[in-house]
Amino acid sequence: MRASTSARAPLSRRLVAWAGTLLLTAALLVAQAPTAATAAAAATVTDLGVAGEGGDVVVRNRKVFVAAGDQIVVTSTDGKVIDTIPGLSGAVALASAEDGRKVYAALRDAHEVIEIDSTSLAITRRIDFTAYPCPSRLAQAYDRLWIGFGCGEAGEGGVLGLITSAATPTLVRVGPATTQAPLVAVAGNTLVAAEPGVSPATVKIYDISTTPVTSRGEIRGDANGLPALRDLALAEHGSAALSASNDTRQLDAWDTTALSRGRAYDSNGFGEHGLPTAVAASPNDAYVVGGWNSSTGDAAELVVYDATTAEVIYTAAHRGKAVVAGSIEFYGTVTFAVLQEPGTGRMHLWRLPPSPYHSSTLTLTAPPKVTALKQSAFGGRLTLSSGLPPGVQTLELYRWLPDGTSRPFQEITTAADGTYRFTDAPPSTGAFKYQVYWPGNSWFRGSGSSVTVTVTLYEPTLTVTGPATGGVGERLEFSGTFGADGITFPRTILNVSRKVVSPDGTVTSNGLLKLAAAADGSFSFSDTPTTAGEHTYTVTLFGNSTVDSASTTHVVTVSQPPA
């Protein structure tokens, strides 16, 4: 579960924002069980073309990654299958930091965790878990990854933590040994873990702001104990743990400080026959989304609740399939889950459409002048229609060259007040387009902004240093540069010419040499005068498609040594 960074809007505003949705779904809320037809009108279901285990979902770089046993299926955010990562062994869990470009996948049967570049889909690293077999659960916040492992042998499983930015990550054990791979979730400075399928269950709470992590206690439920868990999540920056238990007809929120139940979220359509299977909190903690299956496993329902009041504000249902435990994921205002056919195990991506949330505005301002090769600063601001500060948010930055080809994708973050800044050094001249996009969250609609700038030639500052005086037959050393901005320049040619005015007034001029400047714009040359007089050295930068031409001179008075 990701850490929340958005400010929570007052309940009254949230209810107003949902008014349109309530009107549209009034029939669903009144009916005891929404029909497949009404749900289909409000959602899309995509056949992923695979059957198997897994079903975990993450969304990164406008791609949806679905773990599917021997492969990871990749779709666009509108649910269309665009690629696969094949040849895997037991891909059952996925995780990704909110501000990261990497996706991590737990390969249970291969006993390893792999790192995937979300742009190229290449596997960039493999982390060996042979000593801790069957990694099956993942949760990530920033550069810390938490892994639940275990193959089903008593005392063989448990929880591990590692730092993904380390060249060789050290696996650090957290908490006691278990039999099954524990469910794990992380938000803020809180980590929760619980062994699934065990009754009574125990949710262990850890403070990860300390090294090593420290225990903050355990949630054991009421007097009858906590029923076996199917899913576990965190909300409210880690202050509330959300549980989906086999033997209850509700989702529960537990205070991770008081270790007591805070509120419950009931089934909507299935009533007493609904089995809670999955649970998650929206990115800004305004909503809780629960996944419910019928007792026969052939009907599924997603229910959106107001996190504070537990009021049902949106529902969607689907017949003939069941929600996969732990498969709820968010991307801006869109909610995803994975459905599975009970007989064949065939997997489908369930995508709920955006609802009429509050709006946002994103601006992008370019500097008045942008030159090739030189870093130029762009900036803007994300504002919310509520007037509240948005908190730190991740923006997507896209850039296009004059020929229409794109440059590498980049993510940037705002300050807490919504302002942001980034720099770029265009590699050539022409019209460059920049676009920033915020996907929104479960409360505010996303927004974007773009700007096109005309990039001009880099304007060099050509300087030459050397002696002011010298003698005939003496070697004169000169050096110079045409750049002082820490730039790497393309191959650039300079011409050096010399004009000599002798004591009797005779003037001679000739080209001395041509030389290639270093990549940082520096150069050097030498000359040994054969006659006395005023020697003027002219250095001319020819320029090219990215660097403008320039010229400068240096004068040396050369004397005849005494006889």
Side-chain angles (χ1 to χ4, degrees):
M1 187 57 57
R2 299 174 182 170
S4 170
T5 54
S6 298
R8 170 173 295 187
L11 174 60
S12 59
R13 292 179 181 173
R14 295 204 299 274
L15 294 177
V16 169
W18 276 101
T21 305
L22 289 172
L23 291 173
L24 291 174
T25 59
L28 292 177
L29 299 182
V30 171
Q32 195 66 12
T35 65
T38 33
T44 59
V45 175
T46 301
D47 187 344
L48 297 179
V50 297
E53 55 189 348
D56 202 7
V57 182
V58 297
V59 186
R60 181 58 57 222
N61 195 5
R62 290 196 176 187
K63 299 182 184 75
V64 183
F65 296 77
V66 182
D70 62 352
Q71 61 188 295
I72 295 173
V73 181
V74 184
T75 81
S76 59
T77 53
D78 61 1
K80 297 177 182 177
V81 176
I82 57 176
D83 213 333
T84 61
I85 304 172
L88 307 180
S89 183
V92 293
L94 301 172
S96 181
E98 188 171 354
D99 58 350
R101 288 184 55 191
K102 304 295 185 180
V103 173
Y104 293 89
L107 306 188
R108 184 195 58 205
D109 301 337
H111 310 303
E112 65 179 355
V113 171
I114 59 173
E115 179 185 82
I116 303 166
D117 185 281
S118 63
T119 300
S120 67
L121 304 185
I123 297 174
T124 54
R125 182 163 53 161
R126 295 178 181 269
I127 305 172
D128 183 24
F129 273 75
T130 304
Y132 304 96
C134 299
S136 305
R137 319 282 184 179
L138 294 179
Q140 185 178 5
Y142 304 103
D143 67 343
R144 301 179 76 179
L145 185 67
W146 307 94
I147 307 97
F149 70 95
C151 303
E153 297 293 331
E156 185 186 66
V159 177
L160 295 170
L162 63 84
I163 297 176
T164 59
S165 58
T168 304
T170 300
L171 306 182
V172 179
R173 189 141 188 174
V174 178
T178 62
T179 299
Q180 303 294 332
L183 301 164
V184 289
V186 63
N189 290 323
T190 302
L191 170 71
V192 292
E195 187 173 357
V198 175
S199 184
T202 301
V203 178
K204 298 184 180 297
I205 305 168
Y206 301 96
D207 184 346
I208 61 174
S209 66
T210 62
T211 304
V213 302
T214 55
S215 174
R216 283 174 33 195
E218 298 177 347
I219 296 172
R220 293 182 173 272
D222 53 25
N224 296 321
L226 184 62
L229 297 177
R230 296 293 307 281
D231 198 11
L232 182 65
L234 279 171
E236 300 176 17
H237 302 279
S239 64
L242 305 173
S243 63
S245 300
N246 278 338
D247 299 330
T248 64
R249 305 299 174 184
Q250 64 189 28
L251 305 167
D252 292 304
W254 304 87
D255 189 305
T256 56
T257 300
L259 308 180
S260 59
R261 181 186 282 110
R263 65 190 68 87
Y265 305 92
D266 294 326
S267 170
N268 179 62
F270 296 125
E272 63 180 9
H273 302 294
L275 300 177
T277 304
V279 65
S282 64
N284 68 343
D285 288 327
Y287 308 105
V288 168
V289 179
W292 300 79
N293 291 330
S294 64
S295 57
T296 55
D298 60 354
E301 183 181 47
L302 286 180
V303 183
V304 181
Y305 306 90
D306 183 285
T308 303
T309 66
E311 178 186 0
V312 174
I313 53 178
Y314 185 81
T315 62
H318 195 82
R319 298 290 185 183
K321 302 174 184 66
V323 177
V324 175
S327 67
I328 299 174
E329 172 71 344
F330 301 93
Y331 180 71
T333 60
V334 181
T335 303
F336 294 94
V338 172
L339 295 168
Q340 200 161 30
E341 296 176 10
T344 65
R346 197 170 181 91
M347 302 171 74
H348 303 256
L349 183 65
W350 197 4
R351 179 186 186 274
L352 299 189
S355 291
Y357 304 107
H358 283 318
S359 63
S360 66
T361 302
L362 187 62
T363 62
L364 173 60
T365 303
K369 184 175 184 180
V370 179
T371 60
L373 306 178
K374 190 173 182 179
Q375 293 285 349
S376 296
F378 298 75
R381 186 167 194 155
L382 172 66
T383 56
L384 306 178
S385 58
S386 66
L388 297 172
V392 177
Q393 299 293 330
T394 300
L395 309 180
E396 299 171 357
L397 170 62
Y398 301 88
R399 297 167 293 182
W400 290 271
L401 294 164
D403 63 2
T405 58
S406 61
R407 302 185 67 195
F409 170 80
Q410 183 181 344
E411 289 184 333
I412 56 179
T413 56
T414 70
D417 64 356
T419 58
Y420 69 93
R421 180 181 182 274
F422 67 91
T423 61
D424 190 43
S428 63
T429 60
F432 280 70
K433 182 179 179 180
Y434 296 82
Q435 178 179 306
V436 289
Y437 175 70
W438 182 58
N441 54 35
S442 58
W443 175 228
F444 292 92
R445 289 195 301 270
S447 55
S449 183
S450 65
V451 65
T452 299
V453 298
T454 300
V455 179
T456 59
L457 291 169
Y458 176 84
E459 298 175 355
T461 302
L462 187 58
T463 60
V464 176
T465 59
T469 60
V472 173
E474 177 185 345
R475 183 182 177 89
L476 306 178
E477 301 284 349
F478 302 88
S479 63
T481 182
F482 59 80
D485 303 304
I487 293 172
T488 299
F489 293 93
R491 181 177 174 82
T492 310
I493 303 299
L494 298 104
N495 182 74
V496 181
S497 61
R498 178 185 60 196
K499 182 180 77 172
V500 179
V501 180
S502 63
D504 63 2
T506 303
V507 178
T508 57
S509 298
N510 64 297
L512 191 61
L513 76 159
K514 290 183 179 179
L515 57 94
D520 63 356
S522 62
F523 58 88
S524 62
F525 64 92
S526 62
D527 185 37
T528 304
T530 59
T531 60
E534 184 180 81
H535 289 54
T536 300
Y537 296 88
T538 300
V539 180
T540 301
L541 174 67
F542 288 136
N544 51 37
S545 61
T546 54
V547 180
D548 203 356
S549 59
S551 182
T552 190
T553 60
H554 185 81
V555 178
V556 181
T557 301
V558 178
S559 304
Q560 184 70 42

